[in-house]
Amino acid sequence: MRVLLINPGSPRALKKENLGLAFLAAALSADNHDVRIADENAGHCVEKVVDGFQPDVIGISFMTMFAPRAYALAEVLRHRRPVPLVAGGAHPTALPEEALQHFDCVIRGEGELSLPRVLRNGTLSGIVEPHPPEDLDALPMPRRDLLEMEFYANQKEQLAGLSYRTLGIITSRGCPHRCVFCANSTRTMAVRYHSPERVLTEMAELVKRYHIESIAFYDEQIAADPFRFRQICEGMVERKLNYLKWECQIHPRSAQPELLKIMKRAGCVQVAIGFESGSQKILDAINKNMLVEENLQAARQVHEAGLRLRGCFIIGTPGETREDIAATQRFMETAAVDFASLHFLTPLPGSLLYEKYSERINQAAIPWDRFTAGDPDTFICNEAMSPEEQKETFRSLSAQLAFRNYTWKEKLRRAYRNPRHALRILYDRWVHTKTK
Ligand code: B12
């Protein structure tokens, strides 16, 4: 069959390749289907691809912020080419009934086993429950060749102030933790890993084919099995892949001196850690299962290994006050984070938080494309501060971080590129210093 997979676009989309679709395409190709990917994020015109390829089945992938575009596309395509329409990805997995109003079939969870199976059985209707692959190495290599890899590599991701040709890789699936804001916190997803051998082979392929200078690990917790991660790092050194610069995200408990040392030798420049907050009350409220002191210890270990530290923080947790936010700011200083990423606590469908607040979310009727984890209008969970106060605090904090995160050279470069944004930041910072 001819299967067309679609990655819907949006002006707010980050320009990163959708590896989920490349994995899906590989599984379909192994089952002898003829597969194409139409990627709006890379500038493809979906209608043109549909007219040229004449698919027998169309699948659309979307997380929550892309749901409005996915539904609009489904509407257009239903008339243009009336073939079965299948939905998959984070949003349809979390809200399958909603997606089924626009699609014939919704496949929840990982699709490599489910999609080929429904195509084989001809049962392209209703909701298909998750059927996750147990052995990740048994999956064929993702078909990156169907994506615009040159376009993505040329986006030149920034790492520690320098830009590199960067592409992504994912070496594991699932996460052992249950943070309330995570879109997977309402389901149990066993953690599964690709073997070090497979990861290193895939990495070498990325180097050979796409001449990358840096690699982005998309794993949520790449060091959940520290022994496996150590083997990957040692393999990078042995195979001389350690000229690649990289950052990865780890849990604070994985920040162990021995591991950090070998990570540095393997090319790691920066470690990202989701500290989330500097207030113990908030860490407890989000199921982080960490002490502030343990987080500070992790930060020290990262610095002692000679690595940069990117701290990820969230504001807007229910019950969070100005004092808690001030504690987070103090934490950023004490932990000496080199770069601080700030997000709003967004009640993403699929999360425990969404379940708890679904009534309020439905009442507020916030469009899905606002669920970007950076939009003040989704800031509706915390009653300890008014929405206006929270928006103001977020803006002021973002303005301060803009000053904190970048060197002067980088600040000037950014201001030259986007002068209006720079003026806004200056104004916010001025307001902040005046009211202090
Ligand atoms: C890598 C990643 C990114 C990357 C790349 C995203 C991309 N282009 O694919 C980047 C860094 C850009 C990113 C950004 C964001 N992300 Co993100 N991201 C991830 C992460 C960590 C891994 C995704 C991945 O590659 N998985 C591996 C592949 C193999 O799996 P997959 O993509 O899910 O695809 C499988 C299935 O979903 C399914 N499938 C997918 N599409 C389709 C289509 C069909 C037809 C079928 C049948 C099946 C199917 O089959 C695929 C193969 O198994 C996930 C967490 C997770 N565990 O999934 C979060 C996740 C997807 N991201 C999330 C969010 C919220 C975001 C942001 C919106 C906010 C943020 N700051 O994090 C941003 C903003 C994006 C923007 N502005 O464009 C949420 C989505 C929740 C939701 N309900 O929307 C997740 C689930 C994180 C979480 N745990 O809460 N992200």
Side-chain angles (χ1 to χ4, degrees):
M1 273 189 197
R2 281 189 303 274
V3 186
L4 177 65
L5 299 173
I6 300 176
N7 189 38
S10 138
R12 288 171 164 195
L14 294 175
K15 304 285 184 218
K16 300 270 167 82
E17 70 277 27
N18 185 328
L19 278 185
L21 284 185
F23 269 102
L24 214 53
L28 291 168
S29 306
D31 235 24
N32 295 319
H33 295 288
D34 183 6
V35 194
R36 292 272 164 89
I37 297 179
D39 184 357
E40 287 196 315
N41 203 16
H44 293 173
C45 169
V46 168
E47 281 98 328
K48 263 197 199 156
V49 180
V50 168
D51 292 348
F53 185 49
Q54 302 276 308
D56 303 308
V57 175
I58 297 176
I60 306 188
S61 169
F62 52 105
M63 52 172 113
T64 297
M65 64 177 279
F66 301 113
R69 179 63 190 150
Y71 296 154
L73 272 173
E75 209 47 55
V76 170
L77 296 178
R78 188 170 291 292
H79 298 292
R80 198 168 187 108
R81 186 153 176 90
V83 294
L85 283 172
V86 189
H91 190 72
T93 294
L95 299 179
E97 280 89 9
E98 178 192 287
L100 204 58
Q101 291 168 22
H102 306 268
F103 288 81
D104 303 296
C105 179
V106 174
I107 292 187
R108 300 186 67 214
E110 294 155 62
E112 289 95 339
L113 302 181
S114 304
L115 186 57
R117 197 189 54 205
V118 295
L119 290 180
R120 245 178 272 134
N121 300 346
T123 48
L124 275 165
S125 66
I127 296 169
V128 178
E129 290 305 330
H131 184 194
E134 274 170 32
D135 176 5
L136 293 191
D137 277 3
L139 299 174
M141 287 282 182
R143 285 208 57 191
R144 291 185 174 86
D145 59 303
L146 295 179
L147 291 165
E148 299 286 348
M149 296 306 279
E150 203 46 38
F151 168 83
Y152 286 112
N154 274 332
Q155 299 303 315
K156 297 241 172 166
E157 192 163 312
Q158 288 254 333
L159 180 58
L162 298 172
S163 346
Y164 301 101
R165 272 177 73 84
T166 306
L167 290 173
I169 187 168
I170 183 141
T171 79
S172 60
R173 297 192 191 176
C175 174
H177 308 286
R178 287 283 164 273
C179 305
V180 295
F181 50 80
C182 169
N184 292 321
S185 52
T186 50
R187 338 183 263 142
T188 354
M189 260 173 90
V191 187
R192 289 141 302 142
Y193 303 97
H194 283 292
S195 64
E197 188 51 44
R198 154 97 176 215
V199 174
L200 293 163
T201 308
E202 195 170 331
M203 236 183 241
E205 188 68 18
L206 281 175
V207 165
K208 197 170 135 212
R209 274 203 180 188
Y210 307 110
H211 314 290
I212 52 171
E213 300 157 323
S214 160
I215 190 149
F217 289 104
Y218 284 164
D219 304 67
E220 285 167 308
Q221 301 295 340
I222 196 165
D225 175 348
F227 181 69
R228 181 199 74 126
F229 190 38
R230 195 195 164 92
Q231 285 182 318
I232 293 176
C233 292
E234 284 168 352
M236 287 181 78
V237 177
E238 273 162 29
R239 296 178 200 200
K240 301 199 173 25
L241 291 167
N242 57 339
Y243 75 90
L244 292 170
K245 303 274 182 269
W246 52 275
E247 180 201 74
C248 69
Q249 181 170 317
I250 62 170
H251 189 269
R253 291 214 176 93
S254 305
Q256 296 302 327
E258 280 308 303
L259 184 63
L260 292 165
K261 228 196 280 170
I262 175 75
M263 282 163 63
K264 187 168 161 67
R265 279 185 54 213
C268 180
V269 172
Q270 182 164 279
V271 172
I273 299 185
F275 295 120
E276 324 303 2
S277 172
S279 154
Q280 190 61 49
K281 181 184 100 190
I282 299 302
L283 292 185
D284 296 342
I286 57 175
N287 285 353
K288 199 69 200 181
N289 195 19
M290 286 299 293
L291 296 175
V292 173
E293 184 43 49
E294 286 178 291
N295 279 341
L296 284 172
Q297 171 70 4
R300 278 192 290 272
Q301 314 263 50
V302 171
H303 287 307
E304 276 165 22
L307 291 163
R308 279 171 58 95
L309 175 63
R310 179 159 74 91
C312 305
F313 299 92
I314 289 180
I315 69 166
T317 300
E320 190 176 51
T321 60
R322 277 190 179 276
E323 288 69 45
D324 296 313
I325 296 173
T328 299
Q329 283 182 275
R330 280 196 302 277
F331 181 95
M332 288 174 189
E333 298 312 320
T334 319
V337 297
D338 297 288
F339 194 102
S341 297
L342 190 65
H343 289 109
F344 279 143
L345 189 84
T346 306
L348 291 166
S351 65
L352 287 164
L353 200 70
Y354 178 84
E355 271 193 354
K356 189 162 175 199
Y357 291 95
S358 57
E359 214 169 290
R360 196 184 297 179
I361 295 160
N362 290 340
Q363 265 171 15
I366 305 160
W368 288 135
D369 57 1
R370 299 272 177 95
F371 282 64
T372 60
D375 194 310
D377 287 336
T378 57
F379 221 13
I380 56 169
C381 297
N382 182 17
E383 283 174 339
M385 286 168 79
S386 73
E388 287 65 37
E389 213 181 346
Q390 294 183 69
K391 281 180 201 177
E392 203 287 306
T393 313
F394 186 84
R395 272 204 9 217
S396 144
L397 205 53
S398 303
Q400 291 170 60
L401 292 183
F403 268 82
R404 195 184 180 293
N405 283 342
Y406 303 106
T407 59
W408 272 105
K409 198 173 148 202
E410 180 61 16
K411 277 183 210 119
L412 287 172
R413 205 170 63 82
R414 287 177 169 253
Y416 179 73
R417 275 220 219 118
N418 195 343
R420 279 178 83 180
H421 187 62
L423 283 174
R424 183 70 191 246
I425 287 172
L426 277 174
Y427 174 75
D428 283 347
R429 187 171 159 88
W430 175 69
V431 171
H432 172 79
T433 2
K434 231 177 80 182
T435 51
K436 221 171 163 185

